[in-house]
């Protein structure tokens, strides 16, 4: 198949179209604006609808509506815009609706800057909006993986009736790499027997999130939780790289994991056996991978483009069986492989 | 570069100039050509709020192997279009690396000793072939001629496809400028 040379933003957009997404609602923000720009041109070609809303908040409720009507629907933004969408995301989760949300993260808090960051890890994996809900969070580290995971995200959303987030950083959105769009195998998905399509000839359906009787709301939340448990059982994904003989492990996701791979190659030339664990799903998090690896490897360095977020989940996985160290850059600064090499050398020397 | 010819093939280059000088373009073209030649490749830009006039740089990695980091701390080669770029990036260049610098615009002294510095009067050479705006292509030609990373024919072929029908009228002047850059290095050698 002919490879195409695309930015991560454009590639995610095309992947969504090829996954059957025909609706996009969003509002521009750097560093993800190429994504809506691409879809503004592309969606009309396939009979879809691209709409630039008056705000992020309007956009996420348009997503709510389209999802309720049974459509495959996408929105994308970057950190401050994703914060604005949180109320709607909580409603979509509470209404058991599927959709895909892309966050191409930039430095925060507040408006922050436009350079790459991973500082929305907590927001993406631990809630974001209010209420007892989760998002499935997928963290690609190459443009090709962004394509594959975007296609998969729509299936996961439909399978579990949940919003799915693609969490990338500014570099993933801006970077160009060759990509292939392989047709995804048709998945067997549950019928959408809950959509609002006009009740003529059938009993009416209601999509809502307001349940004033706590007994009923509790049952709904328990149902949601059962889905999350299924997701935890079946959907965890992580990559391991050179962990077999490793004496020290680096844990990183997204672009940082690639930088860490370069650091590992340098470290190995210097005789330090380093390996990598790269969570691909941030929720569900691969706790078990870290639990197993810390049975034999006693030093783990977590590297992030933030001041320490995923490191908390790594510690939960490790559960005291190994020492967990942290190195991070923030505000749009990107850790270099040289910096990571220095950090690993430091912790290896420690008794 | 001799060391980049080792197997498996790997090289990287950082190029920088003012926005509008076409550094992003030649970076993308280089990466696109490498892709057509079945290499793994990444292109990563500096991205800022300004469209033109501000500092612009991009990094291209070309490899036979899976590319780990697309962000490069010490590149094998630099293509520098102006003084601010040289100032910002000269110290990053790997020892033994090559610095291709635009002698039409750079007035600062090259400080590094353990590298190969190649001056290219890119703006004049581009003007000679009828398009001063193609100074970027002169620089790319010099880079390709010096490093041998890709064949000339591969770049020209990829350029045609990369420009597409809409911009095909820029094709011949870009090729001429590219050839001029290649000749310039041949003359130095």
């Amino acid at each position: 198949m002919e490879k195409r040379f695309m930015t991560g933003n454009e590639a995610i957009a095309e992947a969504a179209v090829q996954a059957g997404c025909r609706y996009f609602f969003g509002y521009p923000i750097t560093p993800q604006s190429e994504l809506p720009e691409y879809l503004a041109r592309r969606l009309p070609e396939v009979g879809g609808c691209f709409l630039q809303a008056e705000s992020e908040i309007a956009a996420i409720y348009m997503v709510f509506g389209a999802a309720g009507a049974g459509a495959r629907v996408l929105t994308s933004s970057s950190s401050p815009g994703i914060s604005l969408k949180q109320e709607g995301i909580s409603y979509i989760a509470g209404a058991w609706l599927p959709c895909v949300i892309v966050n191409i993260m930039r430095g925060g808090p507040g408006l922050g800057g436009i350079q790459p960051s991973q500082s929305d890890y907590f927001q993406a994996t631990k809630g974001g909006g209010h209420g007892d809900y989760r998002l499935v969070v997928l963290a690609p580290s190459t443009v090709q993986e962004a394509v594959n995971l975007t296609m998969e995200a729509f299936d996961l959303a439909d399978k579990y009736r949940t919003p799915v987030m693609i969490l990338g950083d500014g570099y993933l959105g801006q970077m160009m790499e060759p990509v292939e769009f392989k047709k995804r195998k048709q998945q067997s998905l549950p019928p959408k027997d809950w959509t609002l399509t006009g009740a003529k000839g059938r009993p009416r359906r209601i999509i809502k999130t307001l349940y004033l009787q706590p007994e009923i709301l509790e049952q709904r939340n328990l149902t949601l939780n059962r889905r999350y448990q299924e997701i935890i059982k079946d959907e965890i994904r992580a990559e391991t790289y050179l962990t077999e003989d490793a004496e020290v492990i680096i844990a990183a996701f997204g672009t940082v994991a690639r930088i860490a791979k370069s650091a590992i190659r340098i470290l190995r030339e210097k005789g330090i056996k380093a390996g990598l664990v790269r969570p691909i799903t941030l929720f569900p998090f691969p706790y078990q991978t870290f639990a197993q690896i810390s049975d034999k490897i006693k030093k783990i360095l977590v590297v992030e483009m933030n001041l320490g977020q995923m490191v908390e989940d790594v510690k939960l996985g490790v559960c005291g069986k190994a020492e967990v160290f942290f190195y991070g850059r923030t505000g749009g600064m990107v850790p270099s492989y040289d910096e990571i090499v220095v950090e690993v050398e430091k912790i290896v020397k420690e008794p | 570069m001799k060391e980049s010819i080792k197997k498996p093939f790997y090289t990287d280059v950082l190029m920088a100039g003012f926005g509008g000088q076409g550094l992003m373009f030649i970076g993308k073209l280089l990466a696109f050509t490498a892709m057509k030649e079945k290499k793994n490749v990444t292109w990563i830009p500096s991205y800022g709020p300004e469209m033109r006039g501000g500092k612009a740089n991009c990094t291209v990695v070309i490899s036979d192997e899976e590319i780990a980091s697309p962000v490069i701390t010490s590149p094998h080669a630099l293509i520098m279009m102006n003084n601010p770029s040289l100032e910002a990036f000269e110290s990053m260049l790997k020892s033994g690396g090559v610095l291709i610098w635009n002698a039409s615009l750079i007035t600062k002294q090259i400080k590094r000793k353990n590298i190969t510095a190649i001056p290219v009067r890119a703006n004049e050479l581009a003007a000679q072939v009828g398009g001063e705006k193609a100074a970027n292509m002169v620089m790319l030609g010099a880079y390709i001629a010096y490093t041998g990373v890709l064949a000339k024919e591969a770049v020209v072929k990829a350029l045609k496809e990369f420009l597409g029908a809409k911009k095909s009228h820029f094709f011949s002047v870009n090729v001429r400028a590219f050839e001029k850059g290649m000749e310039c290095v041949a003359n130095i050698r």
Side-chain angles (χ1 to χ4, degrees), chain B residues 144-176:
Chain B
I144 293 289
Y146 185 79
T147 61
V149 165
L150 295 160
K152 176 192 163 189
E153 297 70 29
V155 178
V156 172
K157 193 172 156 220
L159 174 67
K160 188 158 207 136
E161 188 178 339
F162 196 65
L163 286 172
K166 253 197 212 162
K167 294 180 180 163
S168 58
H169 51 290
F170 293 127
F171 176 69
S172 56
V173 66
N174 274 294
V175 172
R176 289 199 302 276

Side-chain angles (χ1 to χ4, degrees), chain B residues 65-144:
Chain B
E65 281 186 307
E66 175 202 345
I67 294 173
S69 180
V71 189
I72 302 303
T73 322
S74 45
H76 291 69
L78 294 179
I79 299 177
M80 295 290 114
M81 280 303 262
N82 58 14
N83 283 326
S85 302
L86 184 70
E87 228 164 306
F89 299 113
E90 185 181 356
S91 63
M92 283 172 65
L93 182 60
K94 218 183 189 58
S95 294
V98 58
L99 165 63
I100 299 179
W101 59 283
N102 183 359
S104 305
L105 297 179
I106 290 176
T107 52
K108 291 209 179 301
Q109 202 66 29
I110 308 291
K111 294 193 194 104
R112 292 284 297 275
K113 300 287 177 232
N114 50 356
I115 54 135
T116 308
I118 298 183
V120 180
R121 300 193 69 80
N123 292 59
E124 281 94 326
L125 292 173
Q128 280 175 25
V129 296
E132 196 172 343
K133 280 191 182 145
N136 59 341
M137 289 299 292
V138 177
M139 297 297 277
L140 182 65
Y143 170 77
I144 293 289

Side-chain angles (χ1 to χ4, degrees), chain A residues 75-88:
Chain A
T75 187
S76 70
S77 191
S78 178
S79 310
I82 293 291
S83 289
L84 284 166
K85 288 181 205 277
Q86 288 301 336
E87 181 195 66

Side-chain angles (χ1 to χ4, degrees), chain A residues 125-126 133-138 156 159-160 162 224-238 281-289 313:
Chain A
T125 61
K126 309 291 178 193
Y133 81 95
R134 296 286 200 161
L135 301 176
V136 175
V137 183
L138 309 175
L156 289 172
K159 185 174 175 188
Y160 297 105
T162 179
L224 257 190
N225 195 50
R226 273 194 296 278
R227 282 185 205 144
Y228 299 144
Q229 296 313 315
E230 274 176 56
I231 291 169
I232 289 167
K233 187 163 75 62
D234 293 336
E235 307 297 350
I236 292 175
R237 256 147 273 177
T281 52
L282 301 182
F283 180 86
F285 190 81
Y287 292 110
Q288 204 51 42
T289 310
D313 281 325

Side-chain angles (χ1 to χ4, degrees), chain A residues 28-106:
Chain A
I29 182 171
T30 306
Q32 64 79 56
S33 292
E34 296 81 9
L35 198 163
E37 183 188 12
Y38 183 92
L39 288 175
R41 193 171 57 243
R42 183 76 170 98
L43 277 174
E45 288 174 8
V46 291
C49 169
F50 167 89
L51 196 149
Q52 181 174 319
E54 66 269 38
S55 73
E56 285 86 351
I57 299 169
I60 194 68
Y61 283 103
M62 291 174 187
V63 170
F64 190 172
R72 285 199 153 179
V73 55
L74 176 74
T75 187
S76 70
S77 191
S78 178
S79 310
I82 293 291
S83 289
L84 284 166
K85 288 181 205 277
Q86 288 301 336
E87 181 195 66
I89 294 172
S90 165
Y91 279 51
I92 292 168
W96 300 357
L97 295 177
C99 70
V100 177
I101 301 156
V102 179
N103 182 3
I104 300 297
M105 293 176 280
R106 55 188 248 178

Side-chain angles (χ1 to χ4, degrees), chain A residues 234-266:
Chain A
D234 293 336
E235 307 297 350
I236 292 175
R237 256 147 273 177
E239 179 198 2
T240 54
Y241 173 72
L242 303 177
T243 53
E244 281 303 304
D245 63 342
E247 52 184 306
V248 56
I249 291 292
I250 301 174
F253 70 98
T255 297
V256 181
R258 297 182 72 161
I259 300 170
K261 271 189 188 174
S262 286
I264 286 164
R265 289 176 189 172
I266 297 168

